[in-house]
């Protein structure tokens, strides 16, 4: 593995999940693997889980890590080649990324979509420019369209909690929100579950919230949320803004909120969310503060996901 930007960078998902679970059982077993290596975590956007879990994972592998919040601490970056930089941006990615390439052995980068420039967001323009100019292995800490470390942690969580014999029924349900949010987590979860191919996978959302088919292909799309939830073993709750009417909030219908009544339709489903969550907007308190909520476990598993990915990259740097 040279980069970790999407499910496409992983040849065997189950093998990577098992590597992560081994780290969960024995966090310090490879403490020499990253000795002498430096990881730079570069954030254009805020984070709690991604930032801290990736740093802990690095420490477990003996890697020293540094965080740089470009937005809050550094010069604003320009990403367009050939730009006349007479606006707010003081430093070009073409200059900043190679400098980071001099300081670190591996980089991790978070950027969010514009939610106004669909073609640019879906070309992963900022992430590609970062990869191109840094010339180092790059781990996505969330990009314009995907959040692969989150999705890996989600599959680790499903793997370790799935006690049923048959394929689990996993439902990704849209939920209301007051703001326009990226499609990243939903796209990524769909991409990973489809590639995993070990679940009956249903996506439910109001009309107008269809995700990009390159990620959802393989899943059943059901516009009736109650019907989708019937017999579900896992319910992943997430808001996203419209992909078709790009970045728009088309619906705030509170009846899509996951609550006890909705849950009663499921097979005592485990509830998942990537966090942060707007309580009692996306889903009710009672869905989060109960035994069948996996949200804290998912966030905890972010450490093992990041550790598994970094160990794979370190191994490939050796060969
Ligand atoms: N789920 C997730 O990526 O959380 P943060 O934005 O806090 O990193």
């Amino acid at each position: 593995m040279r980069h970790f930007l999407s499910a496409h960078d992983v040849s065997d998902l189950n093998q990577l999940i098992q590597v992560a679970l081994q780290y969960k059982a024995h966090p310090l077993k490879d403490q020499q693997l990253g000795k002498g290596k430096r990881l730079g975590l570069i954030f254009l956007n805020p984070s709690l889980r991604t930032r801290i879990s990736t740093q802990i994972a690095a420490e477990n592998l003996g890697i020293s890590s540094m965080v740089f919040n470009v937005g809050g601490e550094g010069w604003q970056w320009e990403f367009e080649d050939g730009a006349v930089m007479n606006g707010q941006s003081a430093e070009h990615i073409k200059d900043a990324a190679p400098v980071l390439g001099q300081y670190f052995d591996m980089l991790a980068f978070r950027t969010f979509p514009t939610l106004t420039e669909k073609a640019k967001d879906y070309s992963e323009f900022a992430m590609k420019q970062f990869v191109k100019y840094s010339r180092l292995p790059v781990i996505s800490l969330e990009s314009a369209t995907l959040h692969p470390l989150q999705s890996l942690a989600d599959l680790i969580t499903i793997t370790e909690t799935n006690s049923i014999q048959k394929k689990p029924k996993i439902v990704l349900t849209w939920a209301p929100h007051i703001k326009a949010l990226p499609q990243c987590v939903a796209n990524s979860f769909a991409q990973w579950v489809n590639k995993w191919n070990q679940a009956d996978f249903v996506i439910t959302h109001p009309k107008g919230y269809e995700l990009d088919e390159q990620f959802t292909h393989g899943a059943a799309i059901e516009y009736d949320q109650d019907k989708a939830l019937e017999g579900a073993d896992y319910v992943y709750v997430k808001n996203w803004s419209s992909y078709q009417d790009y970045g728009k909030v088309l619906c705030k219908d509170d009846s899509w909120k996951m609550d006890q009544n909705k849950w009663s339709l499921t097979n005592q489903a485990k509830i998942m969310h990537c966090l942060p969550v707007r309580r009692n907007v996306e889903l009710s308190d009672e869905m989060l503060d109960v035994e069948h909520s996996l949200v804290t476990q998912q966030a905890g598993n972010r450490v093992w996901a990041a550790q598994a990915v970094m160990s794979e990259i370190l191994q490939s740097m050796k060969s």
Side-chain angles (χ1 to χ4, degrees), residues 3-45:
H3 303 292
F4 181 74
L5 308 175
S6 82
H8 299 312
D9 294 310
V10 183
S11 52
D12 185 338
L13 292 192
N14 278 323
Q15 188 262 340
L16 191 61
I17 290 166
Q18 289 310 318
V19 171
L21 288 171
Q22 283 162 21
Y23 281 129
K24 188 168 185 173
H26 305 286
L28 303 181
K29 77 183 179 79
D30 281 336
Q31 231 186 349
Q32 297 302 311
L33 187 63
K35 201 169 160 53
K37 299 287 186 209
R38 277 208 195 92
L39 168 71
L41 296 113
I42 314 302
F43 286 87
L44 295 191
N45 304 91

Side-chain angles (χ1 to χ4, degrees), residues 46-51 110 142 147 150 274-276 302:
S47 167
L48 185 158
R49 282 143 290 269
T50 305
R51 173 178 170 152
R110 168 172 280 197
E142 190 167 355
H147 196 353
Q150 180 65 53
C274 62
L275 303 179
R302 294 291 305 274

